Amino acid sequence: MKTAKHPFRFPFKTNYGRFSEDGRSYIITRPDTPRPWVNVISTGPYGAVISQTGSGYSWLHHASLNRLTRWDQDMIRDEAGRYLYIRDEQSGRFWSASWQPTKTSYEFYECVHGVGYSIITMQKDGIRSEWMIFVPEGEPLEVWRVRIRNVSKKTRKLSLWSYMEWNLGEAPDWHREFHKLFIETSFHDADKVILAKKRLSPLKNEKGEHWNKTWEYTAWHAVNLPVTAACGDKQAFLGNYGSKSSPAALQKGAYVGPTTHRWDDGIASLQVPVTLKPGEERTSLWTLGAATSEKVALNLAKKYQNFSHVEKAWHQTEILWDKLLGSPVVETPDAAFNVMTNVWLKYQAMSARFFGRTAYYQTGGAYGFRDQLQDSQVFLPVRPDLTLRQIRLHCAHQFASGRVFHWWHPLSEEGAPSRYSDDLLWLPFVVLNYLKETVNYSALLEKVPYHPGPENIRLTEPIYRHCVRAIDNVLNRFSERGLPLIGTGDWNDGLSATGRDEKGESVWMGHFLYGVLMDWSRLMESLMSQGVISKSEDHRRKRYLQRAARLKKTINRLAWDGRWYSRATCDDGTVLGSRQCRDGKIFLNAQTWALMNGIVDSPQRKRSILSSLQKHLYGPHGSLLLYPAYRTPDSRIGYLTRYAPGTRENGGIYMHAAVWAIQMECAISRPQWAWELYRRLCPVYRGMDPERYVCEPYVTPGNVDGPDSPTPGRGGWTWYTGSAAWLFRISTEWMMGIRPDWDGLRIRPCIPKEWNGFRTVRRFRGAEYRIRVLRDKTLRGDRQEILFDGKKIVGDLLPSTPGKQHDVVVLIPES
Ligand code: GLC
């Protein structure tokens, strides 16, 4: 195969921006990017989303059930958010400190999205403003540090005006005229604070009462400078039939009408006078947040009116992120791979997927049983305790029957019992990976209560049992022909109608289950030999192995279509993903997982799958999930067929699955293909053609349009995608090949010929490995040699000695 040459170099500059020197921030140099390019800032429980135009929203605990500020999901207008205006009191001219909502011309514009913060810098009429927003670690609030500098030659009398609409609860609030009647705002002049409370909570309390309960928080907005006036009423700010681009208050220089119309459309706006001599600069501190009582709210407002507290909080947040992104650090010849692996994939998975659980194209807040379990794997090399915490949380949302919630809401604890076949199996899958990293077998003995669930059964068992129940549950849901039933879908949610009558089957589930059974049996052996579980479990282990062997045979007998594996069957027996189908002839996961998990023994079948993948699914922008797209909705299959052809799961590049193709290529030792697939989907490279790709070049998208769409190559649904954590793992564990295994850290690099090697530092089971991979002319084929602390070792497993630093040199053949 040929690897495309590309002329792109760090900092990957386009008409819209570039990476910063250290790769830890992305600098957007003009506000009219093809779509909103955002930052999702959260370390939990609070979070804020901000786009390069200054738009976005904020929440506490849950981005949909407890959103603090109103927002309108509109990728084209991107004109809803919390804003800051600047008014020249002498001329009466005004503009916003970000491009939205006034969209004025400017002398300079820059939006820096960094790890844990964003800064929008703008210069207009000789006034330079720098608006920084960040979320202090562990606090229920966001801080705005606003610097205003007079770069003109005369003294300027200015005023700053903030503006946001209160949402205080569920979003979107469909019943706005109803909900506004419960919101009460008040201004506390001495403290320079606006408070907002809500007399009605949209959330239930423990007794299940819904409609007679106070919203538990007090929201506030505060500033550290003296305030001319404050406003809690939307009409007094915008004017009747007014607009955010030209609010009546800014036109007039004063709020228009009563400012504390207590039960009207609740907003928060503070007006702050600032006079600056030429060259002078003033910094102000603003906060927005929600606390558990008025007292706590006022205290927090006060705390962050103080510069030293703000500095300290920022410093702590920086340290937290440094630690979270600290391991592993990689240095390869490819700068895009480096920035994605060292910074952005981890940051995206942690900040947006794990802590915030929300973004711009998809707003959320809930936990998906399979989703956040998979995401939690991003912490394995650096904070495996967070993976374990997530494992416990998911165990607590499993029922004694072994079934689980497909998703559930923190705060309200409402959830949907899953009828998807795969959800529960991710529990043992992630536990296996946690144990390979840590060998902390005692975690398996930790007791966690099940969720009483629809059956209302109270039971507490060790995590080991939770996993075994999950596996047994899947083993009990088989078709007569011997394949796992698909339920209302498997990993692919969109196959939502395939198994409604409990008849449809999933071939991919077969591949997945086979891998889990094999790995779990291996774990059981160690657990028995170490006395962690009783020897009587051996009958289970044997049963798992028998079932695995039978399953593999059945898949190979029933699901081989002649050229590749079919994907699933519907209730009525219709086969999906076969040559006979008009649409959806071939599906990606049914091939990649078969190869990754050792389902394919015949070399001829392997060759046939690989050539079919190349022919039908490996496209110029990544691997398609299926091909060709479904042209017409099919009620036997599900909503997947109802998506516009070529988009998302219907024949688009669905990033989560597309990155598994890279893992598969590494698993079968095809480094050039792995690299080619990586490069085709890498957001940094895709982003070099911003007009086509449209998305942020620094985070993975959920999907990229496929050939059946009118806009192939267009990305969407960025940030909130499981692909980030996976691509991070696949990059380090499979491409770089540094993989935790039961007996130690395994090294098997699978790097392209363009790379002469790489360096990295990896912490593992208490030891630190300084690894260098180098090419060696004398080596041939797939031979590699390892020098461990200067001594040659046999095999590819590194010994581990806790507390030690090791020097590892891996020699691999020149290609
Ligand atoms: C969505 C779901 C995820 C699912 C994927 C594929 O991202 O949140 O759980 O695996 O789609 O259908």
Side-chain angles (χ1 to χ4, degrees):
M1 57 145 305
K2 273 216 222 123
T3 312
K5 286 219 167 45
H6 65 91
F8 310 128
R9 293 279 166 269
F10 192 78
F12 304 106
K13 192 166 178 292
T14 67
N15 288 341
Y16 297 97
R18 61 174 189 280
F19 284 92
S20 65
E21 204 45 45
D22 62 1
R24 281 174 72 99
S25 52
Y26 192 84
I27 304 165
I28 299 165
T29 46
R30 52 188 269 194
D32 57 340
T33 53
R35 283 288 180 277
W37 288 5
V38 314
N39 195 357
V40 183
I41 307 173
S42 181
T43 54
Y46 189 94
V49 174
I50 183 163
S51 79
Q52 86 295 348
T53 70
S55 307
Y57 62 94
S58 307
W59 68 92
L60 178 66
H61 295 298
H62 197 305
S64 304
L65 291 185
N66 210 34
R67 198 178 294 169
L68 301 182
T69 55
R70 280 225 175 88
W71 179 70
D72 184 11
Q73 185 181 47
D74 190 324
M75 309 307 294
I76 303 301
R77 290 183 303 146
D78 184 39
E79 58 169 18
R82 32 162 157 51
Y83 296 114
L84 190 71
Y85 295 79
I86 301 171
R87 185 171 193 273
D88 184 326
E89 293 295 335
Q90 282 141 332
S91 67
R93 283 169 66 138
F94 61 87
W95 60 94
S96 40
S98 51
W99 195 46
Q100 286 287 21
T102 57
K103 286 200 298 218
T104 47
S105 59
Y106 48 80
E107 288 130 38
F108 178 84
Y109 196 88
E110 192 179 87
C111 169
V112 176
H113 287 317
V115 172
Y117 72 94
S118 289
I119 301 178
I120 294 179
T121 306
M122 179 162 160
Q123 189 175 311
K124 165 85 181 160
D125 289 355
I127 299 298
R128 199 171 177 93
S129 57
E130 189 196 282
W131 178 22
M132 179 202 197
I133 169 170
F134 78 97
V135 178
E137 183 203 348
E139 297 277 43
L141 60 100
E142 69 194 58
V143 175
W144 306 351
R145 192 196 61 196
V146 180
R147 288 193 177 130
I148 308 285
R149 174 186 270 278
N150 179 0
V151 294
S152 74
K153 295 207 165 60
K154 48 180 192 178
T155 296
R156 305 288 290 274
K157 260 185 92 184
L158 307 167
S159 53
L160 306 181
W161 308 59
S162 55
Y163 175 76
M164 69 201 69
E165 288 185 57
W166 292 119
N167 185 82
L168 309 188
E170 260 172 36
D173 52 344
W174 303 113
H175 209 345
R176 208 161 147 146
E177 275 302 298
F178 175 70
H179 278 283
K180 80 175 191 193
L181 294 171
F182 306 99
I183 293 180
E184 181 182 17
T185 62
S186 57
F187 177 52
H188 298 238
D189 196 6
D191 301 314
K192 305 179 279 290
V193 178
I194 289 182
L195 294 180
K197 296 181 186 176
K198 197 170 180 195
R199 294 181 169 204
L200 175 92
S201 173
L203 293 174
K204 288 182 195 158
N205 63 13
E206 343 44 85
K207 287 189 217 128
E209 291 166 343
H210 212 140
W211 294 114
N212 191 14
K213 197 193 145 216
T214 308
W215 187 62
E216 284 169 21
Y217 310 91
T218 302
W220 83 89
H221 173 49
V223 65
N224 68 335
L225 297 181
V227 169
T228 317
C231 178
D233 184 80
K234 188 170 173 179
Q235 187 172 331
F237 187 84
L238 295 182
N240 215 9
Y241 297 102
S243 72
K244 279 180 290 193
S245 59
S246 188
L250 270 294
Q251 289 178 32
K252 190 177 160 200
Y255 298 116
V256 291
T259 51
T260 51
H261 231 162
R262 285 162 60 127
W263 317 114
D264 233 318
D265 282 301
I267 65 153
S269 172
L270 295 167
Q271 182 195 347
V272 172
V274 177
T275 300
L276 295 172
K277 295 203 192 83
E280 205 185 342
E281 182 178 281
R282 174 86 30 90
T283 305
S284 51
L285 300 172
W286 308 64
T287 48
L288 161 65
T292 42
S293 71
E294 179 172 325
K295 195 164 158 228
V296 181
L298 289 171
N299 281 342
L300 285 169
K302 193 169 230 121
K303 178 173 172 191
Y304 290 99
Q305 282 164 340
N306 176 309
F307 281 96
S308 67
H309 282 303
V310 168
E311 251 160 55
K312 203 167 143 208
W314 170 238
H315 189 57
Q316 270 173 6
T317 311
E318 260 187 317
I319 292 176
L320 174 78
W321 278 117
D322 281 351
K323 283 196 183 138
L324 288 175
L325 306 188
S327 175
V329 174
V330 311
E331 215 182 297
T332 78
D334 193 82
F337 185 93
N338 296 346
V339 284
M340 289 310 289
T341 314
N342 287 332
V343 185
W344 290 94
L345 292 173
K346 289 187 261 193
Y347 176 58
Q348 175 184 359
M350 295 175 186
S351 194
R353 282 286 293 191
F354 194 80
F355 295 124
R357 300 182 305 283
T358 195
Y360 217 76
Y361 293 79
Q362 190 180 6
T363 57
Y367 285 106
F369 197 90
R370 62 163 91 93
D371 301 86
Q372 273 70 34
L373 263 179
Q374 290 172 71
D375 294 329
S376 74
Q377 300 183 105
V378 74
F379 292 109
L380 285 175
V382 53
R383 287 281 307 274
D385 58 303
L386 293 178
T387 315
L388 180 57
R389 199 174 76 184
Q390 202 62 23
I391 289 170
R392 285 188 203 112
L393 186 70
H394 288 243
C395 281
H397 290 86
Q398 182 187 19
F399 317 139
S401 62
R403 290 172 65 214
V404 300
F405 275 135
H406 182 53
W407 53 259
W408 75 91
H409 289 305
L411 284 187
S412 74
E413 279 302 316
E414 284 164 308
S418 175
R419 293 199 53 228
Y420 294 84
S421 48
D422 69 312
D423 275 333
L424 64 177
L425 209 52
W426 291 102
L427 180 63
F429 179 88
V430 171
V431 166
L432 283 163
N433 289 331
Y434 167 78
L435 292 174
K436 282 184 192 168
E437 179 75 38
T438 61
V439 286
N440 175 18
Y441 293 136
S442 62
L444 287 173
L445 303 179
E446 264 185 51
K447 290 189 174 162
V448 183
Y450 290 89
H451 194 283
E455 298 92 2
N456 199 18
I457 302 172
R458 289 185 193 270
L459 182 69
T460 298
E461 276 189 333
I463 292 180
Y464 174 81
R465 289 274 145 214
H466 281 259
C467 292
V468 160
R469 273 182 198 261
I471 297 173
D472 288 346
N473 191 297
V474 174
L475 287 174
N476 287 336
R477 290 162 77 191
F478 263 55
S479 70
E480 275 168 21
R481 307 197 308 161
L483 287 173
L485 294 172
I486 192 167
T488 43
D490 52 26
W491 168 87
N492 192 336
D493 275 359
L495 296 172
S496 54
T498 35
R500 238 183 229 149
D501 298 336
E502 305 280 333
K503 288 198 185 117
E505 301 157 320
S506 166
V507 174
W508 171 79
M509 260 307 279
H511 304 333
F512 183 26
L513 175 62
Y514 177 80
V516 171
L517 289 174
M518 296 304 285
D519 238 12
W520 196 265
S521 327
R522 167 82 165 75
L523 167 70
M524 288 174 86
E525 243 175 73
S526 319
L527 296 178
M528 282 186 286
S529 72
Q530 295 185 38
V532 183
I533 55 169
S534 117
K535 291 254 184 312
S536 65
E537 280 291 281
D538 204 41
H539 72 273
R540 189 190 302 278
R541 186 186 67 85
K542 287 195 183 123
R543 180 160 59 87
Y544 284 0
L545 285 174
Q546 279 161 7
R547 290 292 300 262
R550 213 184 314 148
L551 177 59
K552 180 168 161 177
K553 265 201 197 132
T554 312
I555 294 174
N556 277 304
R557 188 163 49 85
L558 296 179
W560 183 254
D561 141 271
R563 299 241 171 94
W564 55 74
Y565 289 100
S566 59
R567 174 66 175 81
T569 57
C570 300
D571 279 330
D572 67 1
T574 307
V575 177
L576 304 184
S578 127
R579 281 184 294 161
Q580 272 58 336
C581 305
R582 187 188 72 151
D583 301 332
K585 284 180 192 296
I586 174 168
F587 281 67
L588 185 63
N589 288 347
Q591 322 315 322
T592 51
W593 281 69
L595 287 165
M596 285 192 299
N597 280 3
I599 299 286
V600 194
D601 287 333
S602 132
Q604 197 198 337
R605 284 194 178 184
K606 180 172 158 188
R607 273 198 303 277
S608 172
I609 294 176
L610 292 174
S611 65
S612 308
L613 285 172
Q614 276 153 235
K615 187 162 167 213
H616 302 291
L617 296 179
Y618 287 180
H621 310 122
S623 316
L624 302 174
L625 188 62
L626 61 88
Y627 186 78
Y630 290 93
R631 279 165 274 185
T632 39
D634 188 330
S635 57
R636 290 165 311 168
I637 301 175
Y639 75 79
L640 157 70
T641 61
R642 296 173 188 275
Y643 276 125
T647 64
R648 292 193 48 83
E649 285 105 318
N650 188 13
I653 292 115
Y654 200 78
M655 202 56 115
H656 191 155
V659 304
W660 284 330
I662 303 174
Q663 176 175 335
M664 180 278 284
E665 290 291 354
C666 292
I668 60 164
S669 302
R670 296 209 309 172
Q672 286 314 117
W673 268 112
W675 178 232
E676 181 61 21
L677 293 183
Y678 182 95
R679 275 234 315 253
R680 289 184 192 183
L681 58 71
C682 176
V684 178
Y685 290 127
R686 290 266 58 78
M688 294 310 291
D689 184 1
E691 306 300 344
R692 175 197 285 266
Y693 181 61
V694 311
C695 287
E696 294 98 324
Y698 44 89
V699 287
T700 54
N703 51 272
V704 175
D705 284 7
D708 295 325
S709 137
T711 50
R714 178 192 281 187
W717 294 57
T718 54
W719 284 93
Y720 198 57
T721 148
S723 58
W726 269 108
L727 189 54
F728 166 71
R729 285 195 70 209
I730 292 165
S731 303
T732 52
E733 297 191 6
W734 291 92
M735 299 176 74
M736 295 171 60
I738 303 174
R739 204 157 49 245
D741 210 337
W742 299 114
D743 303 320
L745 196 59
R746 196 175 288 286
I747 303 206
R748 258 292 147 191
C750 186
I751 57 174
K753 61 180 187 308
E754 291 86 341
W755 292 17
N756 53 7
F758 63 82
R759 284 165 189 270
T760 183
V761 180
R762 171 67 151 93
R763 273 175 243 138
F764 180 69
R765 298 185 192 167
E768 188 176 280
Y769 299 87
R770 310 194 147 260
I771 302 167
R772 268 174 306 156
V773 172
L774 306 167
R775 300 273 184 196
D776 184 310
K777 275 201 200 88
T778 62
L779 294 173
R780 292 275 169 274
D782 61 357
R783 272 200 53 209
Q784 66 173 33
E785 269 177 26
I786 299 181
L787 297 173
F788 186 74
D789 289 331
K791 285 198 205 91
K792 228 181 191 180
I793 56 167
V794 184
D796 51 15
L797 262 191
L798 301 182
S800 89
T801 23
K804 281 256 171 82
Q805 228 188 48
H806 296 292
D807 188 55
V808 183
V809 178
V810 183
L811 301 174
I812 57 170
E814 274 200 345
S815 44

